[in-house]
Each structure stands twice: as structure tokens, then as C-alpha cells.
Amino acid sequence: MINRGNPVAAIASVVLGILLIILKNDVISIALTVLGAAVLISAIVDFTGKRTNSAVIQAVIGVCILVFGWVFVNLALYVFAAALLIVGLLQIINIGKSGAGRPAKAGLAVYFKPAVTVLAGACLLLNQSGTIAWVFVVSGILLIAEGVLELIR
């Protein structure tokens, strides 16, 4: 039996890819707004279902997401950038320490992945909006390619 792809999923992939490219700077804002609104709607549903405690907690969380969402995103991005830098630097240090055991032809190639990790961390730390926009554009291109290939198949 031949497994045929889902054309709806392929088209959705292409549409999502196009949206990521077009709205690259607004994707996180839109996602935070949708998430905050969904939590508030859930709070309303809980309130109408007589689950007042849950409704109040969800309402507070929803308002916090809508009002302070970017603060949490920026904080998380700084933590992620620092983690990337630390992991990349630790990998470079470990490669340097264990250099005697690796083959001579490996050369500088073993430093490529850790160097890219350090570079990504530095870019994210120093230019969050530009780096995020770049990531969304690349993700959009990959989603479009995946969707088109799926449609062709």
C-alpha cells in the first residue's frame, strides 16, 4: 500500500511558512496574544462552570501573559543565549583537553559545531530581534520547502 501525504497538511505547512517569513517580527507577539486570550477564555469558561478559584487563577495568568509576555520572552531568550554560550565554550574546552586522542585528519572540523553554538548564543545575546527574525525566516523557508515537496510527492 502506498502511503500518500496529506495535501491539507502540506498546504498548511506552506501557508505557515509564508506567514513566518512575512510576519517574522510579529510572530511572538501574535503567539503571546493568542495564548493570553486562550487562557482568558478558559477562565471565562471556568467561571461560568462555577469553578471560581480556577477561573481567577487563569484570569490572572492570562492578563500577565498579555501585559508582561515580552518580559518573560526576553528573560528566557537571555537565559537561552547564555546557556548556548556556556555549552559551546565547554565543548571547545573539552575538545581541546582531549585533543591527543582524536585523529589528525579531523583537524579544526571538530570545532565547527561548538563554534556555531557559541556564535548562535552571541547573536541571540547581542541582537535578539534580528536573530529571532532570521530564525523565523529560515523556519518559514524550510516549512515551504517541506510543504511543496509533500505536494509534489
Side-chain angles (χ1 to χ4, degrees):
M1 173 186 272
I2 297 174
N3 184 9
R4 301 206 182 242
N6 183 353
V8 174
I11 292 169
S13 178
V14 170
V15 169
L16 181 60
I18 291 170
L19 287 174
L20 283 176
I21 292 170
I22 293 172
L23 302 172
K24 62 183 171 270
N25 293 325
D26 299 326
V27 171
I28 294 177
S29 294
I30 293 168
L32 286 173
T33 302
V34 169
L35 178 63
V39 173
L40 285 175
I41 290 170
S42 177
I44 293 169
V45 169
D46 278 358
F47 187 72
T48 58
K50 306 288 189 230
R51 294 181 296 273
T52 310
N53 291 341
S54 175
V56 170
I57 292 170
Q58 288 179 8
V60 169
I61 291 171
V63 169
C64 285
I65 290 172
L66 289 173
V67 175
F68 303 113
W70 269 105
V71 173
F72 298 125
V73 169
N74 285 337
L75 179 63
L77 288 174
Y78 281 123
V79 170
F80 183 63
L84 285 175
L85 283 168
I86 292 168
V87 166
L89 290 173
L90 288 174
Q91 287 175 341
I92 290 171
I93 290 168
N94 286 335
I95 290 169
K97 285 181 180 178
S98 65
R102 72 172 190 268
K105 55 183 167 177
L108 294 176
V110 295
Y111 289 101
F112 181 73
K113 182 183 169 208
V116 169
T117 303
V118 169
L119 181 64
C123 287
L124 190 57
L125 188 64
L126 301 174
N127 184 12
Q128 282 186 354
S129 62
T131 303
I132 291 170
W134 181 83
V135 167
F136 285 136
V137 168
V138 170
S139 298
I141 291 169
L142 292 174
L143 281 169
I144 291 170
E146 178 185 2
V148 168
L149 291 174
E150 185 65 29
L151 284 173
I152 291 171
R153 188 165 50 105

